[in-house]
């Protein structure tokens, strides 16, 4: 029996230390890129990919994320009273967008542990994982591209991008062979190597923050050994899953911004502002006037 991917898990319990002091009180996921908080890009992508249940794995001080997708009664009342119809629509669209469930990861014990924290909310079905830091710009949503592969293969699929040169050492990397018939984008994975030296990297396919996983990953995460600081790495769980099931990498079509990093955040802000329907033309003129 084939299964549909309905649930999208957003691990968002990290401390966001690369953005201090901005993230001392405000969750990193709530920093705005142009006019939307980072988390909203991921949630919109999940919904456009067919997911209708959003699961946030949060930590202390992250309540603003849940509030953002809730009704804001006073705001909506005020906008209604002032006949600000367009703004009211914007506010309502977000609150009516989606059902959100959230669960606390009490101690940030790693990405693998964050995913495991969502086990009971996910249950025994395939699900998506989206790291909110990765803001995607793609004609077909990145997650949709993975789900299309999942629907064909009924196996876990990890998004990748090509990373050339020494920068590969910052990523998990696929050891994999291309699957014929997918324009060289689909790979059957034989191993995953975390942050290899450039010389040792088995390929230039770097793992990025989108996954479709089968529920067996939970059992695998429960049985791997934590690292020195008690952290559970998702990559270790995926490697364990490979012993039981096939797993694919898909080099997605589109652009990824690492908005969890200051430079990546600025790139996302500038490029998405340039493409923005209202702001784009004026912002383009402004950038040209800088004559850098
Ligand atoms: P990062 O490695 O980017 O960590 O986590 P971070 O804490 O968010 O940011 P920095 O490095 O301190 O600036 C990757 C993703 O995994 C989540 C994070 O919220 C982020 O979405 N995560 C990480 C958890 O949910 N729990 C953890 O224990 C660790």
């Amino acid at each position: 029996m084939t299964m549909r991917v309905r649930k999208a898990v957003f691990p968002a319990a990290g401390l966001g230390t690369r953005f201090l002091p901005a993230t001392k009180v405000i969750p990193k996921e709530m920093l705005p890129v142009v006019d939307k908080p980072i988390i909203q890009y991921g949630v919109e992508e999940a919904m456009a990919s067919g997911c209708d249940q959003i699961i946030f794995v949060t930590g202390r001080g992250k309540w603003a994320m849940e509030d953002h997708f809730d009704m804001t009664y006073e705001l909506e009342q005020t906008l209604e009273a002032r006949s600000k119809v367009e703004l009211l629509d914007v506010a309502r669209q977000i609150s009516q967008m989606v059902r959100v469930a959230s669960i606390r990861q009490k101690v940030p014990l790693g990405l693998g542990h964050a995913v495991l924290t969502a086990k009971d909310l996910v249950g025994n079905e395939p699900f998506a994982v989206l790291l909110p830091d990765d803001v995607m710009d793609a004609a077909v949503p990145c997650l949709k591209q993975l789900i299309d592969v999942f629907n064909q293969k009924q196996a876990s699929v990890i998004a990748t991008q090509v990373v050339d040169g020494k920068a590969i050492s910052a990523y998990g990397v696929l050891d994999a062979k291309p699957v014929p018939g997918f324009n060289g984008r689909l790979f059957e994975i034989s191993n995953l190597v975390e942050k290899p030296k450039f010389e040792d990297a088995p390929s230039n396919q770097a793992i990025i923050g989108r996954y479709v996983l089968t529920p067996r990953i939970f059992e695998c995460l429960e049985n791997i050994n934590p690292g020195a600081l008690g952290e559970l790495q998702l990559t270790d769980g995926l490697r364990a899953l490979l012993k039981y099931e096939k797993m694919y990498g898909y080099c997605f079509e589109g652009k990824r911004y690492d908005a969890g990093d200051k430079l990546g955040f600025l790139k996302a802000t500038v490029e998405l502002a340039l493409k923005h329907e209202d702001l784009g033309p004026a912002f383009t003129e402004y950038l040209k006037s800088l004559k850098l």
Side-chain angles (χ1 to χ4, degrees), residues 11-18 28-29 105 108-111 114 132-133:
L15 300 175
T17 53
R18 280 171 293 165
K28 170 174 69 177
E29 296 77 10
Q105 184 193 18
L109 288 177
L111 180 56
D133 284 5

Side-chain angles (χ1 to χ4, degrees), residues 53-86:
Q53 292 180 47
I54 302 296
I55 300 167
F56 291 155
V57 179
T58 66
R60 281 173 62 79
K62 298 267 183 164
W63 48 265
M65 278 175 53
E66 290 150 59
D67 280 1
H68 182 71
F69 293 94
D70 197 356
M71 219 186 129
T72 32
Y73 187 75
E74 300 86 340
L75 176 67
E76 291 179 27
Q77 285 284 302
T78 309
L79 293 174
E80 199 159 18
R82 294 183 186 168
S83 303
K84 303 264 187 198
V85 183
E86 278 181 24

